[in-house]
Short mmCIF file of all heavy atoms in Angstrom, two decimals:
data_model
loop_
_atom_site.label_atom_id
_atom_site.label_comp_id
_atom_site.label_asym_id
_atom_site.label_seq_id
_atom_site.Cartn_x
_atom_site.Cartn_y
_atom_site.Cartn_z
N ILE A 69 19.63 -17.34 4.47
CA ILE A 69 18.26 -17.26 3.84
C ILE A 69 17.57 -18.52 3.69
O ILE A 69 18.09 -19.52 3.43
CB ILE A 69 18.45 -16.69 2.37
CG1 ILE A 69 19.28 -15.35 2.44
CG2 ILE A 69 17.21 -16.51 1.62
CD1 ILE A 69 19.58 -14.77 1.11
N GLY A 70 16.29 -18.45 4.07
CA GLY A 70 15.48 -19.68 4.02
C GLY A 70 14.59 -19.40 2.68
O GLY A 70 14.26 -18.34 2.18
N MET A 71 14.13 -20.60 2.11
CA MET A 71 13.29 -20.46 0.91
C MET A 71 12.23 -21.62 1.03
O MET A 71 12.51 -22.64 1.51
CB MET A 71 14.13 -20.78 -0.41
CG MET A 71 14.67 -19.52 -1.04
SD MET A 71 15.52 -20.11 -2.56
CE MET A 71 17.19 -19.96 -2.02
N ILE A 72 11.04 -21.20 0.49
CA ILE A 72 10.05 -22.24 0.26
C ILE A 72 9.67 -22.14 -1.24
O ILE A 72 9.43 -21.16 -1.91
CB ILE A 72 8.83 -21.87 1.00
CG1 ILE A 72 9.11 -21.90 2.58
CG2 ILE A 72 7.62 -22.87 0.74
CD1 ILE A 72 7.95 -21.67 3.43
N LEU A 73 9.69 -23.40 -1.82
CA LEU A 73 9.50 -23.51 -3.20
C LEU A 73 8.15 -24.03 -3.54
O LEU A 73 7.66 -24.90 -3.00
CB LEU A 73 10.57 -24.57 -3.78
CG LEU A 73 11.98 -24.25 -3.56
CD1 LEU A 73 12.94 -25.29 -4.15
CD2 LEU A 73 12.32 -22.79 -4.16
N GLY A 74 7.50 -23.38 -4.63
CA GLY A 74 6.20 -23.63 -4.92
C GLY A 74 6.07 -24.70 -5.98
O GLY A 74 7.07 -25.34 -6.42
N SER A 75 4.90 -25.06 -6.34
CA SER A 75 4.58 -26.12 -7.42
C SER A 75 5.40 -26.01 -8.62
O SER A 75 5.45 -25.01 -9.28
CB SER A 75 3.14 -26.06 -7.86
OG SER A 75 2.32 -26.41 -6.71
N GLY A 76 6.13 -27.12 -8.88
CA GLY A 76 7.02 -27.17 -10.11
C GLY A 76 8.31 -26.38 -10.10
O GLY A 76 9.06 -26.35 -11.01
N LEU A 77 8.51 -25.82 -8.92
CA LEU A 77 9.82 -24.99 -8.67
C LEU A 77 10.85 -25.60 -7.84
O LEU A 77 11.87 -25.09 -7.57
CB LEU A 77 9.45 -23.59 -8.10
CG LEU A 77 8.33 -22.79 -8.98
CD1 LEU A 77 7.94 -21.48 -8.27
CD2 LEU A 77 8.87 -22.35 -10.33
N GLY A 78 10.59 -26.85 -7.46
CA GLY A 78 11.41 -27.70 -6.64
C GLY A 78 12.84 -27.84 -7.07
O GLY A 78 13.75 -28.16 -6.36
N GLN A 79 13.04 -27.77 -8.41
CA GLN A 79 14.28 -28.03 -9.09
C GLN A 79 15.46 -26.96 -8.50
O GLN A 79 16.55 -27.40 -8.51
CB GLN A 79 14.08 -27.81 -10.58
CG GLN A 79 15.46 -28.21 -11.40
CD GLN A 79 15.16 -28.06 -12.79
OE1 GLN A 79 14.25 -28.46 -13.41
NE2 GLN A 79 16.12 -27.39 -13.39
N MET A 80 14.98 -25.96 -8.04
CA MET A 80 15.87 -24.88 -7.47
C MET A 80 16.82 -25.59 -6.35
O MET A 80 17.87 -25.18 -6.25
CB MET A 80 14.92 -23.77 -6.72
CG MET A 80 15.72 -22.65 -6.36
SD MET A 80 16.16 -21.48 -7.69
CE MET A 80 17.88 -21.17 -7.17
N ALA A 81 16.26 -26.55 -5.61
CA ALA A 81 16.94 -27.14 -4.67
C ALA A 81 18.20 -27.90 -5.13
O ALA A 81 19.26 -28.00 -4.55
CB ALA A 81 16.06 -28.13 -3.78
N GLY A 82 18.03 -28.39 -6.37
CA GLY A 82 19.14 -29.09 -7.07
C GLY A 82 20.27 -28.05 -7.45
O GLY A 82 21.36 -28.59 -7.93
N GLU A 83 20.16 -26.83 -7.44
CA GLU A 83 21.04 -25.86 -7.82
C GLU A 83 22.16 -25.57 -6.70
O GLU A 83 23.08 -24.86 -7.01
CB GLU A 83 20.33 -24.56 -8.20
CG GLU A 83 19.30 -24.61 -9.27
CD GLU A 83 19.98 -24.59 -10.60
OE1 GLU A 83 20.82 -23.70 -10.88
OE2 GLU A 83 19.65 -25.41 -11.43
N MET A 84 21.90 -26.08 -5.59
CA MET A 84 22.83 -25.72 -4.34
C MET A 84 23.98 -26.63 -4.38
O MET A 84 23.94 -27.79 -4.78
CB MET A 84 22.06 -25.79 -3.15
CG MET A 84 20.92 -24.75 -2.99
SD MET A 84 20.62 -24.24 -1.35
CE MET A 84 19.86 -25.79 -0.68
N GLN A 85 25.19 -26.05 -3.89
CA GLN A 85 26.29 -26.74 -3.91
C GLN A 85 26.48 -27.25 -2.47
O GLN A 85 26.11 -26.78 -1.47
CB GLN A 85 27.58 -25.83 -4.19
CG GLN A 85 27.59 -25.51 -5.73
CD GLN A 85 28.65 -24.48 -6.06
OE1 GLN A 85 28.98 -23.66 -5.20
NE2 GLN A 85 29.15 -24.56 -7.20
N ASP A 86 27.21 -28.46 -2.30
CA ASP A 86 27.45 -29.23 -1.11
C ASP A 86 26.15 -29.39 -0.32
O ASP A 86 26.12 -29.14 0.94
CB ASP A 86 28.44 -28.28 -0.27
CG ASP A 86 29.81 -28.04 -1.04
OD1 ASP A 86 30.22 -29.00 -1.77
OD2 ASP A 86 30.22 -26.93 -0.93
N ALA A 87 25.12 -29.62 -1.07
CA ALA A 87 23.84 -29.64 -0.41
C ALA A 87 23.57 -31.03 0.44
O ALA A 87 23.99 -32.02 0.06
CB ALA A 87 22.65 -29.55 -1.47
N ILE A 88 22.96 -30.74 1.51
CA ILE A 88 22.62 -31.97 2.46
C ILE A 88 21.01 -31.91 2.46
O ILE A 88 20.47 -30.81 2.80
CB ILE A 88 23.22 -31.86 3.72
CG1 ILE A 88 24.71 -31.91 3.65
CG2 ILE A 88 22.63 -32.85 4.75
CD1 ILE A 88 25.52 -31.41 4.82
N LYS A 89 20.47 -33.07 2.06
CA LYS A 89 18.95 -33.09 2.03
C LYS A 89 18.46 -33.98 3.17
O LYS A 89 19.01 -35.08 3.36
CB LYS A 89 18.67 -33.60 0.72
CG LYS A 89 17.14 -33.79 0.36
CD LYS A 89 16.94 -34.26 -1.04
CE LYS A 89 15.46 -34.33 -1.28
NZ LYS A 89 15.27 -34.74 -2.76
N ILE A 90 17.51 -33.46 3.90
CA ILE A 90 16.84 -34.21 4.93
C ILE A 90 15.40 -34.27 4.66
O ILE A 90 14.84 -33.21 4.60
CB ILE A 90 17.16 -33.65 6.39
CG1 ILE A 90 18.64 -33.48 6.61
CG2 ILE A 90 16.56 -34.54 7.43
CD1 ILE A 90 19.10 -32.87 7.93
#
Side-chain angles (χ1 to χ4, degrees):
I69 298 174
M71 265 186 259
I72 298 182
L73 301 177
S75 293
L77 303 173
Q79 188 178 307
M80 189 76 225
E83 299 278 313
M84 293 209 289
Q85 288 173 332
D86 306 318
I88 293 166
K89 183 173 178 175
I90 307 174

